[in-house]
Amino acid sequence: MHALNPKYIIDNTGKKISVVLPMKDFKAIMEELEELEDIKLYDEAKKSKEPSFPIDDAFKMIEAKRKVK
């Protein structure tokens, strides 16, 4: 992750209550969070006892079911 340069909004007692970030920093943080969520979901799926299929096979199965209906 790259260095951030946040700006803070403080209340009248000097307590930090909000952070202002440049959009590029915000977007970078959001991308990192999405990647972490994907990793978490992958780890959960690997622990699961549910059967898994290669993505191409899964798409073929879905398309086959659509054609039947």
Side-chain angles (χ1 to χ4, degrees):
M1 185 167 213
H2 65 283
L4 300 177
N5 296 306
K7 306 287 186 255
Y8 299 99
I9 298 174
I10 58 173
D11 65 13
N12 57 359
T13 66
K15 179 181 175 187
K16 294 177 185 175
I17 59 172
S18 296
V19 177
V20 178
L21 294 172
M23 283 304 296
K24 68 179 181 128
D25 292 346
F26 175 75
K27 287 179 182 180
I29 290 170
M30 295 307 295
E31 287 175 10
E32 290 286 330
L33 287 173
E34 288 174 12
E35 187 172 336
L36 287 172
E37 181 64 20
D38 291 345
I39 292 168
K40 179 182 170 188
L41 292 171
Y42 174 81
D43 289 344
E44 289 174 7
K46 290 297 277 186
K47 290 179 186 175
S48 169
K49 301 296 182 200
E50 295 291 319
S52 61
F53 306 95
I55 192 71
D56 290 335
D57 293 348
F59 285 141
K60 288 176 187 174
M61 291 166 54
I62 292 168
E63 287 301 317
K65 285 184 179 182
R66 285 183 181 167
K67 290 178 182 177
V68 172
K69 290 182 180 184

